[in-house]
Amino acid sequence: MAARGHVQDPNDRRLRPIYDYLDNGNNKMAIQQADKLLKKHKDLHCAKVLKAIGLQRTGKQDEAFTLAQEVATLEPTDDNSLQALTILYREMHRPELVITLYEAAVKKVPLSEEYHSHLFMAYARVGEYKKMQQVGMALYKIVPKNPYYFWSVMSLVMQAISAQDEKLAQTMFLPLAERMVEKMVKEEKIEAEAEVQLYIMILECLGKLMEALDVIRGPLGDKLNSELQSRERKCMRLYKRLQHWPERNALAHKLLLKNPDDWQFYLVYFDSLFKLMDQSWSPPEEGEHCVEGPVHHSVSEVVSFVEDRIKEEDNKESHPLRGPYLARLELIHRLRERGCPEESQLGDPSELMVQFFRKFGDKPCCITDLKIYLHLLSPDQHVQLINQLEEAAAPGREQEDRSAFPKDTKALQRHLCVCQLSRALGLQHALDVDGKLQLVAELKAHYHHGLQFGETSVKTELQFSDMYCLMAAHVYIDLWKETGDETMVWRCLGLLHQGLSHSPFNAQFKLLLLLLYCHLGAFQPVMDLFSSLDAKHIQHDTIGYLLTRFAESCGQFAAASQSCNFSLRFFHSNQKDTSEYVIQAYKYGAFEKIPDFIALRSRLNQSLHFAQVRTERMLMDLFLEADIVLSLEESVKAMGLCPYEDDIPWDTIRDNRDLTVFTSWDPNERKLTEEHRRLSLEEELVWLRIRSLTLRLLAFLAHLGHTTSQQNSEMTSDNGLGEKTSMLDSLLYDLDQYLQIAALILEKHTQYPFLGPPASRLASALSSGSYQCQYAAFQLAYHLQKLETLGLEESSELQAKICNGFKSLVVQLQEILNKCKGDLLEMKDNRLKPQPSLLENLVFFVETVCIVLWMASYSAKVLQPFKASLQKKKKKKKDNNMALPAALCGFQELTGSLQDLLTQALAHLKEQEICITSLKLASFTLTGNTQDEQSFTKGAMDRVQSSYSRSLQEVGDLLKKRAETLKNLKI
């Protein structure tokens, strides 16, 4: 036995099966196994914690927490228990409990490197930088290793970065961090690159840029070798901050001589040239221009330098580099901006583009390279350039024969590049309808021909000719938007589905299909498309809006709830995940990344999309469940909603949407502008304000309903009543203000590019009349609250106002329902016409009905005691003919009218379901389509038809449930 050298702890062997069950997701078996073990070994704390993990994962959080605390209060010091408790607390999102755990362990075992290390990381998870600094130094004293010392230094830097008092950061935290590093430098104990980088970071934060530059240039700078040209890049950054343009220019020039294809250094080279020209800089008469070498301070020098790089590339026998050729176009662009006559020395941009195309036209990057310089051409050069490029793409062919099919992938890429540039110059947009239809036919023919080149490729690879298919889809969209002919959008959907059958991993096909289905109001196929995109991590924030914007408005509540969960799951894990990144950065000495990770966490917490999804998810839960599954009061309580608090960070909210996710070749006048972005954000923020206020008003309504009985019994002694009235008044005022702002925004009639940001739901909300009706319902709740305090005898005027409010609500709801009338999907003259706006109006109708019913439910709670009191008086006076007060009569009329309205709405939904189901799409044909294309188009139509049926069913089901709750609404 002794010869083995290591005897396994018997407890490890006993616990192993529980670990295995937990790892495999078999939580129930893990709990059972833990129970068996605890019967034999009551003091085996780790088994108890592992059981708690199993309970946590099966949804029994309270039991799990109680069990964990039993172990935690014993202050365990065995690794198994500590690690298991750490895992459990992280899953519970309670990182602060891990701190308590390791603080106790460190007290019991004060010289443990491991426990101190775990305590440091526990503090790192919650951002306790001061305590991290102290633990780091304690660790260094126990085990004098450099990483521990620099953990402490970095924690000082983080105290400075997070300090609200800038003066404190500059006078205490950063100078102390600087002294600590200088001590290590003097003692020659600096070992790693990370330590040097941290020193430079501290000096930069202190504004000691020259000292930082000296460190980089000095012997410590030799350690900066993990990245290519790391020293040079850091010097370049500091030269910019110091405004040392000669050094910046000379260094860029030196680096371009080594690597003439490094684009970022060309930009630095040109930037610094013009800065030097603006300062009228001239070199000294004697000696070096600067420490980095010769400086190019005149346009002629820079022109010569770029031309020399191009000559070198022209004389090469191997493949030329793109950088110098593009640098020439960039220099023309900058010289033209400044009105410099030397621009003409570099040549005619049109000819230079043709030369560039001859060299690089067979590369997919050619279009992105040239597209950004098309503005250098005059309008009369556009057609000429395309003709020259067509000649360059197919040299020796006649004009008529240039559209012949390419013989290989390089020829295909050249022809495709010409087509893309033609669209980017606006030549495709200038065609008439027949011209565009002919263009589509040509693009489709080229697409189908090009598929042969990818026959042997694996399914994860894109087809060489995919861009032809995508461009044809864009032309179809142009035709749809210009002519209003739905045939074009059906053809477009069919073509994209056909493209997807050959390239199942083409993200652009999926994104465009997703957008088109959303615009048609068909959300059912969208979920599968988005899932197949396999959005990763931050993409849930940057492109998640494509899904969540349309989810609810298409009437697919289950899918909408699921789409919100996709995003929320990411945002909720952000706090935990970024903490882990910070910990890893400390472990591996990536100190420069730590502020970036903290900034990422902040950026995601302040995300507009996060605020939108959270608000919409809570509203949706109320619309779907409140007073159906639980009462409104219970639903609001379960969500932890408080009408008095607004937890959206309005002042720091960030728009993280990626509005350029779609590939586009549109000319500049059709592109997304900064003004579009600004207006879109303004619109989204106003809509979020309105939705957030709606949510808070609903929470307030629940709060009022919950306290009605107490108020009626102690009307005079309720000191908080005035405060509640004031709060409700304030919320109603805010909602009214933002509805007015929304109306002003809509008066601008902003039209966004089709591939730009989708318009918010503001326009539909106001045009349908739903928000005006919702506001009126909340106002009625305000009047009812007043009635509650005044009583029936002294409130005849208020009662009249409430009665008129009840009648007005019914009229408004009827008007909203009238705007839902019409066929969602109709066949006319062999054209299938969808009307998604009717579907969105239906959704708003349902939302408004829910809010009106909650207001009616509150009315019943207010009026019920009054009616009971009247009945007692009747019995005493024995007067059965005593007239009912106006408010009670009005309420009875309201419930009757609402019942009629819901019956009418359900009849309309049933009629629409029958109408859509009876549509015979099998007989629908599109002239000019091949059998294959017809099949894919028919599939797209079936998806829209099926989605509409599903939406009507879900809307109908919700309305039926609401009708049932209305039957129980009596006083």
Side-chain angles (χ1 to χ4, degrees), residues 241-256:
R241 287 188 64 185
L242 287 161
Q243 299 189 357
H244 287 189
W245 308 120
E247 286 84 353
R248 195 163 155 80
N249 177 280
L251 182 55
H253 165 235
K254 194 160 54 177
L255 291 166
L256 285 169

Side-chain angles (χ1 to χ4, degrees), residues 491 494 498 921-941:
R491 290 181 189 275
Q498 189 177 18
L921 296 183
S923 59
F924 183 78
T925 54
L926 288 171
T927 53
N929 266 11
T930 64
Q931 192 172 350
D932 207 19
E933 288 171 337
Q934 184 71 30
S935 168
F936 284 109
T937 305
K938 167 73 172 50
M941 289 176 170

Side-chain angles (χ1 to χ4, degrees), residues 27 237 332 548 634 749 834 880 938 942 959:
N27 299 312
R237 188 181 72 230
I332 292 173
T548 53
E634 288 171 321
H749 301 292
N880 292 328
K938 167 73 172 50
D942 286 343
L959 271 182

